[in-house]
Amino acid sequence: MAKGADRELQTLSTQGFVSGMDDRVTVQIRTGRMLPDFLQSVNLDYVKLGYRYLVTHIFTLLWIPLMLAVLLEVGRMGSDGIWQLGVHLQFKLVSLMTCSALLVFGLTTYIMTRPKPVYLVDYACYKPPDDLKVPFSVFLGHSRLSGKFDEKSLAFQKKILERSGLGEETYFPRALHELPANISMSAARDEAEEVMFGALDELFEKTGVKPMDVGILVVNCSLFNPTPSLAAMIVNKYRMRGDIKSYNLGGMGCSAEVISIDLAKDILQLQRNTYAVVVCTENVTQNWYFGNDRSMLIPNCLFRMGGAAILLSNKGADRRRGKYVLVHTVRTHKGADTDFYQCAYQKEDARGKLGVSLSKDLMTIAAHALKSNITTLGPLVLPWSELLFFFGVLVARKLFNVKMKPYVPDFNLAFGHFCIHAGGRGVIDELEKKLRLSSEHVEASRMSLHRFGNTSSSTIWYELSYIESKGRMKKGDKIWQIAFGSGFKCNSIVWKSMRTIIPPVRGPWTDCIHMYPVKIPEVFHIPSSDSNLSVN
């Protein structure tokens, strides 16, 4: 009975009526099953996907009717018509040869003048030894025993650590493990040598490239610039050749790795058949702040020891063994605005203590710089569907004053992986929100911050290594590396994977990748007793 009642209700709910001018004439149509509710059954996401596919492949789809029309016309001509066409072309031999010559000339010019592909052969991230790990108890204990910080500053550093997203296995240089800390030029050189040579030794071993084969060397370190330079330090250590093009970049901030890659790319366009090595690092030893200005205490809590070395090539033979090919570099500089210029500023505090001051408006400034950068990057990488969406919304808002939110392009359609500079938890949160990324998209950034801290310009390479170690990099995947730096700058690199990457047997994540991802609490509560610990 219940089934019969349900069937009757279903029938009644799907009745259709057609009435004429006379109410006495009625045509009634009954159906035994319910018609689908298309508004509920059709997933609008699939409609959007269909639209995107259509727009993205519009030019390919337009060729289909054109080719069909040509084939139909040839079929109608028959063998006699095709023969007559050949005879006609014989009388146009001079014109045909001229057009062919122009075509060959044009193709040759294009091939000779187009940018040479730049391949990323391999890279190495330096992993310090375990005895350089700095748990929170060691950090706070050293800060207290140094006698340089008042109680409010100690409490502030504890609060920053608890909310930073860092774990307890990040690294400090040896000089900061000493009591008192050894803030000297000699100790800073030791840190630079340990990081740079450690990364380069691994890079040369992995690639089999000899230091004498390197024609271009670019080194970046923002806050430590000794004489001779860090680049000269590397040339001396590895006995590199005398005609090497070496460059030492300073004061460029955490986005210096993009600037270095961009510089190496430009030189590789001029110098044929050579290798370029890029070294990204920062020096913590000489830039530890021993004052009580809160805006200058934050770098103490976030920055850690680390570095990376990258091997680039323009050799055609490296296409097969290279991991990635460089697609785009986009650099945005907002230094013309004083607020942007001073948001990360190295200076002395009121008592003459040197440090780096971070503006409270840093996140707002970073958001503006990001907007400028993706405005340039978007047209280069986004599919036509997203560009049309963006342009349509822009026209509606600007020309017709339609009240609607600005359209944020879906960068998930352009990239498979994201390496966001792990400058701090707030930076990652902001980009995840602004770019509408998923938790998996920012996983590499969060885990790198947790495991290694903010290693400045090398952070995006620890993140790329995380993705590879998880076995997620497939052939054809595109990677977006994006970083922010003092000045203020927002810079981007786009790579394309040339092959499916097998998880490396040697790297910074080899011994711990099975434990990640880990859940990072909003606040990691440090026991109050930790800040009173004495350290041997």
Side-chain angles (χ1 to χ4, degrees), residues 307-488:
I310 303 98
L311 180 66
L312 304 176
S313 172
N314 59 8
K315 298 183 178 183
D318 286 319
R319 178 180 178 84
R320 291 185 177 181
R321 71 164 181 158
K323 283 187 171 182
Y324 307 98
V325 61
L326 182 61
V327 181
H328 300 293
T329 56
V330 175
R331 295 166 54 182
T332 303
H333 205 307
K334 306 291 287 185
D337 188 304
T338 303
D339 291 336
F340 284 74
Y341 170 69
Q342 295 182 343
C343 73
Y345 201 83
Q346 187 180 27
K347 63 179 183 179
E348 295 92 357
D349 64 10
R351 295 189 177 183
K353 302 294 183 180
L354 185 65
V356 176
S357 174
L358 300 181
S359 169
K360 62 181 180 180
D361 298 323
L362 179 61
M363 294 311 304
T364 302
I365 288 171
H368 283 291
L370 171 66
K371 181 180 178 181
S372 299
N373 189 264
I374 65 176
T375 299
T376 304
L377 179 67
L380 300 176
V381 298
L382 289 169
W384 281 100
S385 58
E386 288 300 290
L387 294 177
L388 289 178
F389 262 124
F390 178 79
F391 181 73
V393 172
L394 182 66
V395 170
R397 293 178 70 245
K398 298 297 183 181
L399 296 183
F400 301 102
N401 295 321
V402 178
K403 293 183 179 180
M404 56 193 308
K405 293 182 179 179
Y407 181 70
V408 179
D410 187 356
F411 281 93
N412 299 322
L413 300 174
F415 304 109
H417 308 282
F418 297 80
C419 297
I420 300 168
H421 169 56
R425 190 173 198 159
V427 174
I428 301 172
D429 290 344
E430 187 71 12
L431 265 71
E432 180 181 11
K433 177 182 176 182
K434 295 293 185 184
L435 298 177
R436 299 182 300 174
L437 303 179
S438 67
S439 57
E440 184 174 342
H441 287 140
V442 298
E443 181 183 312
S445 300
R446 292 196 190 281
M447 298 306 110
S448 296
L449 180 65
H450 179 271
R451 179 63 183 84
F452 296 99
N454 181 351
T455 60
S456 189
S457 59
S458 64
T459 58
I460 59 176
W461 299 104
Y462 287 93
E463 294 165 16
L464 185 60
S465 180
Y466 178 90
I467 296 170
E468 290 183 0
S469 298
K470 280 292 184 181
R472 297 173 181 173
M473 191 65 67
K474 308 301 180 185
K475 182 178 180 180
D477 286 356
K478 286 188 178 180
I479 308 98
W480 182 13
Q481 292 180 315
I482 182 168
F484 301 90
S486 57
F488 190 83

Side-chain angles (χ1 to χ4, degrees), residues 104-409:
V104 171
F105 176 77
L107 288 174
T108 304
T109 303
Y110 170 75
I111 293 172
M112 294 296 292
T113 58
R114 69 174 181 173
K116 303 177 185 66
V118 174
Y119 306 111
L120 193 163
V121 179
D122 213 333
Y123 64 97
C125 297
Y126 175 68
K127 183 182 179 183
D130 289 345
D131 64 318
L132 295 184
K133 288 182 179 179
V134 53
F136 294 154
S137 60
V138 173
F139 179 96
L140 295 171
H142 272 70
S143 295
R144 178 173 292 279
L145 292 175
S146 70
K148 303 294 185 180
F149 307 103
D150 58 30
E151 289 298 325
K152 289 184 178 179
S153 294
L154 291 170
F156 178 73
Q157 291 181 78
K158 179 174 178 288
K159 182 178 179 181
I160 293 296
L161 280 177
E162 290 178 331
R163 293 162 172 78
S164 64
L166 272 69
E168 297 206 75
E169 295 192 334
T170 58
Y171 303 91
F172 264 170
R174 298 184 186 278
L176 295 183
H177 282 270
E178 300 178 14
L179 277 174
N182 181 15
I183 310 301
S184 66
M185 174 65 76
S186 176
R189 284 183 184 274
D190 289 342
E191 180 194 348
E193 290 178 356
E194 182 174 357
V195 173
M196 295 191 305
F197 297 166
L200 285 167
D201 286 345
E202 182 180 339
L203 179 69
F204 290 136
E205 181 182 341
K206 288 167 67 175
T207 60
V209 173
K210 298 178 181 179
M212 282 293 292
D213 296 332
V214 178
I216 303 162
L217 174 65
V218 183
V219 183
N220 68 72
C221 184
S222 290
L223 298 176
F224 181 59
N225 293 286
T227 299
S229 67
L230 298 177
M233 190 184 296
I234 293 173
V235 172
N236 176 260
K237 163 69 175 178
Y238 293 97
R239 300 293 187 262
M240 292 179 162
R241 64 198 205 196
D243 63 343
I244 189 171
K245 305 291 190 299
S246 65
Y247 301 86
N248 202 93
L249 306 182
M252 293 293 186
C254 298
S255 67
E257 75 283 355
V258 183
I259 300 171
S260 300
I261 295 291
D262 188 52
L263 175 60
K265 176 201 70 174
D266 289 342
I267 304 171
L268 284 170
Q269 298 303 314
L270 303 174
Q271 191 167 334
R272 292 179 174 274
N273 203 38
T274 190
Y275 289 112
V277 168
V278 174
V279 179
C280 307
T281 187
E282 192 51 81
N283 193 280
V284 180
T285 298
Q286 266 205 332
N287 296 286
W288 191 253
Y289 174 63
F290 286 109
N292 293 293
D293 187 322
R294 290 195 175 189
S295 68
M296 303 170 81
L297 282 170
I298 296 176
N300 282 11
C301 300
L302 298 180
F303 281 86
R304 294 295 186 267
M305 183 183 188
I310 303 98
L311 180 66
L312 304 176
S313 172
N314 59 8
K315 298 183 178 183
D318 286 319
R319 178 180 178 84
R320 291 185 177 181
R321 71 164 181 158
K323 283 187 171 182
Y324 307 98
V325 61
L326 182 61
V327 181
H328 300 293
T329 56
V330 175
R331 295 166 54 182
T332 303
H333 205 307
K334 306 291 287 185
D337 188 304
T338 303
D339 291 336
F340 284 74
Y341 170 69
Q342 295 182 343
C343 73
Y345 201 83
Q346 187 180 27
K347 63 179 183 179
E348 295 92 357
D349 64 10
R351 295 189 177 183
K353 302 294 183 180
L354 185 65
V356 176
S357 174
L358 300 181
S359 169
K360 62 181 180 180
D361 298 323
L362 179 61
M363 294 311 304
T364 302
I365 288 171
H368 283 291
L370 171 66
K371 181 180 178 181
S372 299
N373 189 264
I374 65 176
T375 299
T376 304
L377 179 67
L380 300 176
V381 298
L382 289 169
W384 281 100
S385 58
E386 288 300 290
L387 294 177
L388 289 178
F389 262 124
F390 178 79
F391 181 73
V393 172
L394 182 66
V395 170
R397 293 178 70 245
K398 298 297 183 181
L399 296 183
F400 301 102
N401 295 321
V402 178
K403 293 183 179 180
M404 56 193 308
K405 293 182 179 179
Y407 181 70
V408 179

Side-chain angles (χ1 to χ4, degrees), residues 487-536:
F488 190 83
K489 298 178 285 292
C490 177
N491 298 323
S492 296
I493 316 178
V494 178
W495 303 95
K496 183 178 180 180
S497 177
M498 301 175 65
R499 54 188 170 89
T500 297
I501 307 297
I502 301 174
V505 296
R506 181 181 179 185
W509 297 95
T510 304
D511 63 342
C512 62
I513 192 64
H514 62 282
M515 298 186 295
Y516 285 89
V518 298
K519 182 175 177 57
I520 303 175
E522 289 294 325
V523 179
F524 180 88
H525 294 286
I526 304 173
S528 300
S529 58
D530 282 0
S531 59
N532 297 317
L533 289 175
S534 61
V535 182
N536 294 327

